[in-house]
């Protein structure tokens, strides 16, 4: 049986929305929703869970729901410039030593994009398992804008042109499908962390297209919108 590690990376020093990882959303700390998914997945996949945080307040929030860890993220990996992959890798190495286990896969659940369910995670994990060449898979939604049709950028001549203007595409329907990365989850093969990849987009990446709404909490209004959807059962799926 394949061995999975579930990582939850939650830094304490959020600049955009201070304290957002433990800010209450529909009556519960934001990190609760991700930890709930991790617990469900732990039971299904017989996985281990590893929190990565530099914040005593975040760590104690999960202690209150029964999770305890001896790991605390090193200060050099808790800066605004620290890369997520290095953060995950450090937590992975600690977990392999702590649990005396060599993992086959790492599932990273993002705290600030909690609109997922266990079915999403299991289906994505199976997709990666079934593709022997793929290095990782990450969650996306179908993009509302398309660089081949209705997205522009400034070019060297100072004028604005389509981002992708190599071919003349006149309708949205004829444009290639594009996707928004929604930052909800990433699943990696263990050997991904032995490559030179510096982002989650590798030369052998798969995507899992979420069949429901999912977005990241970047601004104050995002909290209000997500809370409304949750409070009034407007998500269209079971969280």
């Amino acid at each position: 049986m394949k061995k999975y590690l579930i990582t939850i990376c939650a830094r304490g020093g959020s600049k955009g929305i201070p304290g957002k990882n433990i800010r209450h959303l529909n009556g519960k700390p934001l990190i609760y929703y991700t930890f709930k998914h991790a617990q469900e997945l732990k039971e299904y996949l017989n996985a281990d869970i590893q929190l990565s945080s530099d914040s005593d307040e975040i760590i104690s929030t999960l202690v209150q729901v029964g999770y305890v860890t001896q790991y605390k993220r090193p200060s050099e990996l808790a800066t605004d410039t620290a890369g997520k992959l290095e953060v995950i890798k450090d937590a992975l190495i600690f977990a392999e030593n702590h649990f005396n286990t060599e993992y086959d896969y790492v599932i990273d659940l993002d705290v600030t994009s909690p609109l997922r369910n266990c079915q999403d995670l299991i289906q994505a994990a199976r997709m990666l398992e079934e593709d022997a060449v793929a290095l990782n898979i990450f969650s996306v939604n179908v993009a509302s804008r398309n660089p081949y049709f209705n997205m522009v950028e400034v070019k060297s001549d100072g004028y604005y042109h389509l981002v992708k203007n190599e071919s003349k595409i006149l309708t949205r329907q004829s444009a290639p499908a594009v996707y928004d990365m929604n930052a909800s989850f990433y699943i990696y093969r263990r050997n991904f962390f032995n490559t030179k990849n510096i982002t989650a987009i590798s030369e052998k990446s798969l995507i899992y297209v979420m069949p429901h709404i999912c977005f990241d909490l970047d601004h104050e209004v995002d909290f209000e919108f997500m809370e409304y959807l949750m409070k009034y059962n407007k998500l269209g799926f079971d969280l």
Side-chain angles (χ1 to χ4, degrees):
M1 184 176 181
K2 301 298 184 181
K3 190 63 179 174
Y4 280 85
L5 176 69
I6 303 165
T7 57
I8 301 173
C9 300
R11 189 166 66 97
S14 173
K15 298 293 192 298
I17 305 176
K20 70 177 178 179
N21 285 313
I22 53 175
R23 177 172 170 170
H24 275 231
L25 177 69
N26 199 31
K28 297 180 176 64
L30 178 60
I31 198 171
Y32 164 84
Y33 298 98
T34 292
F35 183 64
K36 172 178 172 286
H37 294 146
Q39 286 182 307
E40 292 173 355
L41 207 56
K42 171 183 171 70
E43 296 301 318
Y44 190 89
L45 295 176
N46 189 30
D48 295 317
I49 300 173
Q50 183 57 59
L51 172 68
S52 171
S53 183
D54 62 315
S55 165
D56 291 334
E57 193 173 8
I58 291 174
I59 293 170
S60 67
T61 298
L62 288 192
V63 168
Q64 294 172 30
V65 291
Y67 176 79
V68 178
T69 181
Q70 298 174 11
Y71 177 77
K72 191 170 184 179
R73 188 187 303 185
S75 58
E76 64 270 19
L77 294 178
T79 66
D80 291 337
T81 57
K84 182 71 175 290
L85 292 179
E86 287 302 309
V87 170
I88 296 172
K89 185 174 182 179
D90 195 71
L92 166 63
I93 292 171
F94 171 85
E96 287 186 327
N97 290 326
H98 178 73
F99 293 109
N100 192 27
T101 299
E102 292 184 7
Y103 295 102
D104 300 295
Y105 297 92
V106 178
I107 301 178
D108 183 63
L109 303 182
D110 198 291
V111 175
T112 61
S113 187
L115 299 186
R116 64 178 92 83
N117 57 34
C118 202
Q119 183 178 4
D120 291 324
L121 297 166
I122 292 168
Q123 288 182 352
R126 296 302 178 236
M127 287 172 62
L128 183 58
E129 284 187 6
E130 290 168 5
D131 189 320
V133 177
L135 288 172
N136 67 329
I137 187 169
F138 48 81
S139 58
V140 301
N141 286 102
V142 176
S144 59
R145 294 286 176 178
N146 194 307
Y148 292 90
F149 182 66
N150 57 6
M151 294 180 68
V152 297
E153 65 180 347
V154 65
K155 299 294 185 178
S156 58
D157 60 5
Y159 293 99
Y160 288 79
H161 305 264
L162 281 171
V163 176
K164 294 281 192 178
N165 62 353
E166 298 86 358
S167 57
K168 301 301 180 181
I169 294 172
L170 302 179
T171 66
R172 181 194 297 272
Q173 292 77 12
S174 59
V178 295
Y179 304 92
D180 286 328
M181 297 175 70
N182 57 37
S184 188
F185 66 82
Y186 303 80
I187 307 177
Y188 302 92
R189 274 201 166 83
R190 174 61 176 87
N191 62 358
F192 179 97
F193 296 96
N194 297 329
T195 70
K196 295 182 179 180
N197 289 294
I198 59 174
T199 73
I201 304 174
S202 73
E203 69 279 7
K204 295 290 189 300
S205 293
L206 299 174
I207 61 170
Y208 174 81
V209 184
M210 283 190 165
H212 53 75
I213 189 171
C214 182
F215 59 92
D216 199 9
L217 293 165
D218 282 329
H219 307 285
E220 287 284 345
V221 70
D222 295 333
F223 265 89
E224 296 178 21
F225 182 47
M226 190 177 292
E227 186 162 61
Y228 171 84
L229 294 175
M230 295 168 68
K231 184 176 180 179
Y232 294 102
N233 298 315
K234 301 291 187 181
L235 289 174
F237 71 101
D238 292 329
L239 183 61

